[in-house]
Amino acid sequence: MNHSNFNFYDAFDFDDDTPIFAFQVAAAVVAEEESNNQGRRTGYRGSIIGHNIVNRNKKEGELRLYNDYFAENPKFTETQFRIRFRMRY
């Protein structure tokens, strides 16, 4: 159905119930379009329904990185840091 040429006002005889009926038809068209578009990629980049959420303990990782390389008494040397993070000497 080509919606660009569809005009709600031309489709109905005007009476007291026309605005309510037009809204119901518009809602049905939107619902049909949404059901037709299920499974297609959109520009939406939020959470994906059905995917598992993995807690990666980011704060813990930041603390561990600091303690391993940047603390007063680091666990690893500067050379090991540069090798690990592929930096030039």
Side-chain angles (χ1 to χ4, degrees), residues 5-24:
N5 296 330
F6 187 73
N7 186 348
F8 287 112
Y9 294 107
D10 293 339
F12 308 113
D13 291 331
F14 288 101
D15 59 17
D16 291 339
D17 295 331
T18 299
I20 295 169
F21 184 66
F23 177 77
Q24 291 171 340

Side-chain angles (χ1 to χ4, degrees), residues 41-66:
R41 296 194 80 181
T42 63
Y44 181 72
R45 295 185 53 105
S47 299
I48 299 173
I49 297 172
H51 282 221
N52 293 331
I53 298 171
V54 178
N55 182 4
R56 300 191 188 276
N57 297 323
K58 291 181 180 182
K59 292 291 181 189
E60 213 174 277
E62 290 172 7
L63 182 61
R64 193 169 50 249
L65 180 68
Y66 177 81

